């Protein structure tokens, strides 16, 4: 059908060629003409742009209708991600499950699963966290991990267009505990896309030219942190103080300069040597299919299991009771006249649903009067915000103010 349409409508005799150039029109020669084309210029009425029209020569049309000698000019190959089966495995239940269930736990992997029992669409979501203690062990490990993930993303761009056309989406990212792989879309070909992504993670070819490009982009990202608005900087360092293992952009930038493609290759091998896979699967997939997805991940990566001491989940630092800590830093951008204050009060355990609910409501209620008093009445600065802040083991209230006033004065207000 596509071929019939192309042969009938998409032909040289039914097309037109548009050419634009700043200069060189007097030297322009058209196929089938012995000398430079004679042109009668006209002006369009709106902007006075000069143009001319000329009929395509018969010789040029015949050459265009001949056999195609340009290999790149062809119909795309079959899209391997387009689903053939859109059936839904519908299973009636009295009440939808509120949360996924852990259906598998071994030394190599943990699997959480929830069958779609409410929306009945032929789609699914697969979230993998490939855990390794090496991912952020040192600033060098952290930077190497980031470049590794960026190179994986870069190498997957050749598949991104086909996957998007077929209704599939994916992402590979870096987490404080490991590398994340997130996929969503039509469930039938989700496994095909997952295999492509896992193969890249396992057998990534670190090309020096792409490495240099991505390294420079990462360098600019670290350097540009100093140009962020002050309240972004204060928020970042407040988070930094609550994390047991985090590194500043300056520390990362110092390690970035010495990294070479060989360092990323070595880091990749070390990272994949011992891992633990945490998986969450939800959607139009049966239990045995989800188990096969995790088995595919285990077999493709070929990693040994982490020891119990290595498999320590992400944690956060807890502030001692009645403590009062202050971190005061200069604004990195000397041309910025503003300062910022991030004020954080730790409230309790983030796992406590009652505390989360009350704190979320309090932060929402406090947002308007805080903005009105500090911004509208006292004119301290335009950026004033109240919100709840959660981390792995704690939750608290955060108030941020950006102003030309001194942060010590802001804290007293």
């Amino acid at each position: 059908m596509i071929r019939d349409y192309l042969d009938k409508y998409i032909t040289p005799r039914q097309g037109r060629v548009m050419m634009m150039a700043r200069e060189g029109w007097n030297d322009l020669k058209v196929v089938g003409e012995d000398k430079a084309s004679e042109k009668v210029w006209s002006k369009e009425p709106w902007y006075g742009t000069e143009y001319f029209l000329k009929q395509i020569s018969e010789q040029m049309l015949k050459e265009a209708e001949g056999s195609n000698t340009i290999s790149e000019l062809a119909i795309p190959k079959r899209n391997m991600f387009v689903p053939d089966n859109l059936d839904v495995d519908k299973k009636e239940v009295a009440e939808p499950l509120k949360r996924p269930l852990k259906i598998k736990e071994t030394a190599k992997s943990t699997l959480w699963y929830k069958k779609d029992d409410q929306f009945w669409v032929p789609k699914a979501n697969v979230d993998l966290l490939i855990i390794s203690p090496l991912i952020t062990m040192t600033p060098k490990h952290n930077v190497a991990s980031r470049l590794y993930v960026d190179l994986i993303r870069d190498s997957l761009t050749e598949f991104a267009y086909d996957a998007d056309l077929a209704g599939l989406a994916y992402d590979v990212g870096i987490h404080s505990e490991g590398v994340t792989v997130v996929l969503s879309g039509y469930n039938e070909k989700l496994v095909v896309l997952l295999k492509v992504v896992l193969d890249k993670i396992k057998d990534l070819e670190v090309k020096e030219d792409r490495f240099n490009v991505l390294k420079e982009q990462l360098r600019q990202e670290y350097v540009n942190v100093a140009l962020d608005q002050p309240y972004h900087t204060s928020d970042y360092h407040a988070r930094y103080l609550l994390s047991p293992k985090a590194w500043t952009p300056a520390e990362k930038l110092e390690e970035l300069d010495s990294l070479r493609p060989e360092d990323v290759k070595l880091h990749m091998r070390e990272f994949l040597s011992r891992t633990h896979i945490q998986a969450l699967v939800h959607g139009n997939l049966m239990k045995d299919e989800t188990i096969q997805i995790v088995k595919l991940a285990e077999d493709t990566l070929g990693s040994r299991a982490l020891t119990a001491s290595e498999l320590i989940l992400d944690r956060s630092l807890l502030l001692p009771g009645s403590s009062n800590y202050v971190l005061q830093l200069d604004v990195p951008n000397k041309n910025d006249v503003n300062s910022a204050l991030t004020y954080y009060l730790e409230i309790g355990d983030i796992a406590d649903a009652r505390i989360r609910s009350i704190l979320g409501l309090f932060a929402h209620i406090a947002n308007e009067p805080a903005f009105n008093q500090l911004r509208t009445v006292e004119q301290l600065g335009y950026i004033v915000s109240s919100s709840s802040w959660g981390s792995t083991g704690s939750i608290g209230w955060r108030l941020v103010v950006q102003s030309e006033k001194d942060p010590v004065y802001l804290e007293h207000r």
Side-chain angles (χ1 to χ4, degrees), residues 6-17 54-66:
L6 292 175
D7 291 341
K8 185 176 181 180
Y9 298 106
I10 311 300
T11 66
R13 295 184 183 275
Q14 291 182 307
R16 64 179 178 179
V17 178
K54 188 172 183 63
Q55 197 72 22
I56 299 176
S57 68
E58 186 65 25
Q59 180 182 344
M60 186 175 180
L61 289 172
K62 288 181 178 180
E63 289 189 16
E65 291 171 339

Side-chain angles (χ1 to χ4, degrees), residues 191-412:
V191 176
V192 177
L193 179 58
L194 176 61
K195 184 66 169 68
V196 169
V197 174
L198 291 174
D199 284 342
K200 289 294 184 182
I201 293 175
K202 174 66 175 177
D203 301 315
L204 175 68
E205 180 184 357
V206 181
K207 299 178 180 178
E208 186 170 0
D209 58 338
R210 297 306 303 160
F211 172 84
N212 291 333
V213 170
L214 295 173
K215 179 180 176 180
E216 182 58 30
Q217 290 178 357
L218 186 57
R219 182 198 310 280
Q220 291 300 319
E221 180 181 321
Y222 291 154
V223 170
N224 288 341
V225 169
L227 303 178
D228 276 349
Q229 294 196 59
Y231 82 97
H232 286 155
T233 304
S234 64
D235 274 355
Y236 174 85
H237 282 92
R239 290 281 193 189
Y240 172 79
L241 292 175
L242 296 174
S243 175
K245 189 180 292 184
W247 315 106
T248 65
E251 291 172 319
K252 297 175 186 178
L253 189 59
E254 187 175 347
E255 296 294 340
L256 180 63
D257 291 332
S258 63
L259 280 179
R260 300 291 179 265
E262 296 74 22
D263 298 319
V264 175
K265 293 177 185 177
L266 177 60
H267 179 71
M268 179 180 72
R269 290 194 294 269
E270 292 176 342
F271 166 73
L272 292 173
S273 63
R274 298 163 65 84
T275 63
H276 183 87
I277 300 171
Q278 279 194 354
L280 169 64
V281 181
H282 164 262
N284 187 41
L285 290 167
M286 304 304 290
K287 181 177 178 180
D288 57 337
E289 292 177 303
T290 64
I291 293 174
Q292 288 302 311
I293 286 175
V294 174
K295 186 177 185 303
L296 171 65
E298 292 179 359
D299 294 344
T300 303
L301 298 181
S303 306
R304 292 185 296 141
L306 294 175
T307 63
S309 61
E310 292 173 311
L311 192 56
I312 299 176
L313 299 182
D314 194 22
R315 297 180 292 183
S316 63
L317 300 177
L318 300 180
L319 299 177
S322 303
S323 62
N324 184 23
Y325 293 100
V326 176
L327 174 64
Q328 187 164 346
L329 301 170
D330 292 333
V331 174
N333 185 3
K334 303 302 181 184
N335 296 322
D336 198 321
V337 298
N338 291 297
S339 298
L341 169 73
T342 296
Y343 194 79
Y344 175 75
L345 296 174
E346 187 174 287
I347 304 300
D349 187 356
I350 195 172
D352 190 319
R354 179 175 174 80
I355 289 179
R356 291 201 311 272
S357 301
I358 294 175
L359 182 58
L361 179 59
F362 168 78
H364 180 70
I365 293 174
N367 197 52
E368 191 278 330
F371 186 89
N372 180 65
Q373 179 64 33
L374 300 177
R375 165 70 179 97
T376 307
V377 177
E378 300 188 28
Q379 296 286 305
L380 293 181
Y382 185 74
I383 296 174
V384 177
S385 177
S386 163
S387 64
S388 60
W389 251 22
S391 54
T392 303
S394 64
I395 191 171
W397 178 62
R398 162 258 196 185
L399 178 68
V400 64
V401 182
Q402 179 169 298
S403 170
E404 293 185 19
K405 300 286 187 181
D406 186 87
V408 176
Y409 174 79
L410 297 178
E411 182 180 6
H412 289 141

